[in-house]
């Protein structure tokens, strides 16, 4: 028998072979990742509500063969480890280790940081950041020493500045340091649109980008449902009215997290699913697009000297951020992104790093 004929690619059919390079753009100074090994190990630093929600979701989704949990509270660590191990009969086979010593994190493929200080009443944002910087100084170098080839995923808030801090402390190329950013904001956004339109959220394409939190930017022009651009259906009313409705939806997305905190004291499950979703895309080299916090200099008019991490729709794979989708932004959307970058850069320059 002859060789099986290879399925033709679009390039063979006359399509532009460089079209992918026009849609996606590499981030500055990216370095390819290490080859994937079959044994996948994930470390989670911080076993609070968020850290454990991430651990639980990673376990149930069969993403890793080994899970290492690290925290400063040894009793809580041991209790969480035992509680998870007692569920072994109901879960895929995963080795669960827990310790205050970072030695157990060695050879991790992905390290997820959820630890951090909470804001005290009357404390300024800068003072809180300085306290978190000191905490991260005791975490990041140890992770890097034990797993020099790992990806770093920051979940702690304020996520954009803490991802920048992690990048600086790690010495890693920027494609290997990512913040969970607006991945969850975008999921909330898609849920609200899907709920309103009575369709499955997976059929809604919609992104929130920029700074995670109150100043996030909703990309209205890129929203589509089943491939249909949503803005083409709201042009029958005055533009001012449309803008107000859309801004109300954006605000509701932003405040939905505060609503969960008000009602149950903290957010955890949605963050757990969001981060497990990122872990799967990264470690399984899925090349899916997620809005995550990444080094944004040189994108959408943000200056090359402005080293800030903001969320942009990025293709994720085994070496971290593979490239950034070149979505067409309106002038207003670009301006808001650039303003967020400027604010973050001013704060970061005051940090003692």
């Amino acid at each position: 028998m002859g060789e099986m004929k290879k399925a033709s690619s679009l390039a063979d059919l006359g399509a532009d072979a460089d079209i992918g390079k026009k849609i996606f753009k590499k981030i500055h100074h990216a370095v390819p990742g290490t080859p994937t090994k079959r044994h996948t190990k994930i470390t989670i630093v911080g076993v609070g509500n968020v850290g454990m929600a991430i651990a639980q979701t990673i376990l149930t989704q069969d993403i890793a063969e080994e899970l290492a949990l690290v925290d400063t509270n040894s009793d809580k660590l041991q209790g969480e480890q035992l509680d998870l191990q007692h569920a072994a009969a109901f879960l895929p086979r995963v080795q669960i280790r827990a310790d205050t010593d970072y030695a157990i994190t060695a050879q991790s493929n992905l390290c997820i940081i959820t630890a951090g200080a909470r804001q005290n009443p009357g404390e300024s944002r800068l003072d809180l950041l300085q306290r978190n910087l000191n905490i991260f100084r005791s975490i990041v170098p140890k992770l890097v020493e034990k797993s020099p080839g790992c990806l770093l995923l920051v979940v702690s808030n304020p996520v954009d500045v803490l991802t920048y801090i992690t990048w600086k402390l790690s010495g890693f190329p920027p494609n290997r340091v990512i913040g969970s950013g607006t991945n969850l904001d975008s999921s909330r956004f898609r849920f609200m649109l899907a709920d309103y339109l009575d369709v499955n959220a997976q059929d809604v394409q919609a992104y929130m980008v920029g700074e995670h939190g109150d100043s996030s930017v909703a990309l209205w022009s890129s929203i589509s449902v089943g491939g249909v651009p949503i803005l083409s259906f709201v042009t029958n009313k005055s533009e001012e009215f449309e803008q107000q409705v859309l801004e109300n939806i954006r605000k509701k997305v932003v405040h939905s997290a505060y609503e969960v905190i008000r009602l149950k004291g903290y957010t955890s499950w949605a963050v757990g699913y969001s981060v497990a979703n990122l872990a799967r895309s990264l470690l399984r080299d899925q090349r899916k697009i997620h809005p995550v916090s990444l080094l944004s200099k040189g994108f959408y008019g943000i200056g090359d000297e402005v080293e800030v991490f903001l969320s942009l729709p990025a293709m994720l794979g085994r070496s971290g951020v593979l490239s950034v989708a070149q979505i067409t932004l309106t002038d207003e959307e670009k301006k808001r992104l650039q303003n967020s970058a400027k604010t973050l850069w001013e704060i970061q320059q005051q940090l003692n790093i």
Side-chain angles (χ1 to χ4, degrees):
M1 282 177 72
E3 262 186 60
M4 199 164 109
K5 194 178 174 194
K6 190 182 168 191
S8 64
S9 70
L10 287 180
D12 298 335
L13 303 175
D16 182 353
D18 291 326
I19 190 80
K21 290 174 188 168
K22 293 170 186 167
I23 298 172
F24 297 103
K25 182 180 166 186
K26 302 269 191 228
I27 69 169
H28 284 260
H29 315 302
V31 174
T34 51
T36 309
K37 297 180 192 136
R38 287 187 70 85
H39 184 85
T40 304
K41 179 173 178 178
I42 297 175
T43 286
I44 298 173
V45 180
V47 295
N49 296 316
V50 169
M52 290 316 298
I54 294 167
Q56 189 267 345
T57 315
I58 282 171
L59 287 173
T60 54
Q61 293 194 5
D62 195 13
I63 298 169
E65 283 77 42
E66 189 176 348
L67 182 65
L69 306 174
V70 178
D71 200 287
T72 53
N73 184 337
S74 57
D75 283 354
K76 174 94 161 74
L77 259 181
Q78 199 178 352
E80 294 291 6
Q81 180 188 20
L82 283 170
D83 208 1
L84 289 176
Q85 286 173 336
H86 293 165
F90 318 115
L91 290 168
R93 187 172 178 274
V94 180
Q95 184 183 7
I96 302 165
R97 307 177 72 191
D99 208 309
T100 54
D101 187 341
Y102 281 79
I104 65 158
T105 71
Q107 266 85 54
S108 291
N109 303 98
L110 174 66
C111 295
I112 301 168
I113 304 173
T114 73
R118 288 188 180 180
Q119 196 157 7
N120 292 326
E123 184 178 32
S124 75
R125 189 181 183 191
L126 191 62
D127 287 343
L128 173 66
L129 276 171
Q130 199 62 55
R131 279 203 299 136
N132 272 312
L133 170 57
N134 294 332
I135 291 169
F136 273 51
R137 281 192 206 278
S138 69
I139 295 172
V140 178
K142 291 174 187 170
L143 291 174
V144 169
E145 182 198 345
K146 300 295 179 190
S147 304
C150 76
L151 300 173
L152 292 168
L153 175 54
V154 181
V155 183
S156 318
N157 276 317
V159 69
D160 300 300
V161 182
L162 290 181
T163 309
Y164 165 79
I165 283 170
T166 301
W167 173 55
K168 281 293 187 189
L169 293 173
S170 71
F172 277 6
N175 54 300
R176 281 171 48 202
V177 183
I178 303 157
S180 55
T182 57
N183 194 52
L184 178 52
D185 307 61
S186 297
S187 171
R188 290 179 174 130
F189 191 29
R190 289 167 70 186
F191 159 72
M192 284 179 189
L193 291 165
D195 191 47
Y196 177 67
L197 298 165
D198 199 20
V199 296
N200 190 310
Q202 292 189 359
D203 291 317
V204 178
Q205 188 86 8
Y207 294 119
M208 305 270 292
V209 299
E211 188 180 1
H212 172 62
D214 299 354
S215 67
S216 58
V217 181
L219 298 185
W220 299 112
S221 47
S222 66
I223 300 172
S224 66
V225 180
V228 181
I230 203 166
L231 282 192
S232 62
F233 286 94
V234 290
T235 48
N236 55 341
K237 303 226 173 93
S238 75
E239 194 176 323
E240 225 172 277
F241 172 74
E242 288 162 33
Q243 290 304 321
Q244 192 50 55
V245 170
L246 299 178
E247 178 58 15
N248 287 345
I249 295 171
R250 187 197 75 83
K251 280 184 179 163
K252 192 170 180 194
V253 170
V254 168
H255 289 119
S256 62
Y258 298 128
E259 183 70 354
V260 175
I261 292 165
R262 184 183 71 78
L263 292 166
K264 66 173 260 193
Y266 56 90
T267 62
S268 60
W269 298 119
V271 185
Y273 280 101
S274 167
V275 174
N277 180 244
L278 294 175
R280 178 180 288 277
S281 290
L282 291 162
L283 297 174
R284 298 276 168 90
D285 202 29
Q286 294 207 323
R287 305 178 89 84
K288 280 178 73 176
I289 312 295
H290 296 269
V292 290
S293 191
L294 52 85
L295 184 62
S296 302
K297 65 177 186 178
F299 290 103
Y300 301 112
I302 296 168
D304 283 348
E305 74 291 344
V306 180
E307 292 189 328
V308 294
F309 279 68
L310 287 171
S311 287
L312 296 172
M315 187 196 293
L316 300 184
R318 188 58 197 82
S319 52
V321 177
L322 305 179
S323 52
V324 178
Q326 297 295 287
I327 292 175
T328 305
L329 303 189
T330 64
D331 290 343
E332 180 59 28
E333 287 165 349
K334 270 190 197 167
K335 191 173 151 199
R336 287 177 72 173
L337 257 186
Q338 289 161 9
N339 285 345
S340 282
K342 187 166 172 270
T343 306
L344 287 176
W345 186 230
E346 284 167 4
I347 289 167
Q348 285 171 190
Q349 286 178 303
Q350 296 173 64
L351 288 171
N352 179 25
I353 189 166

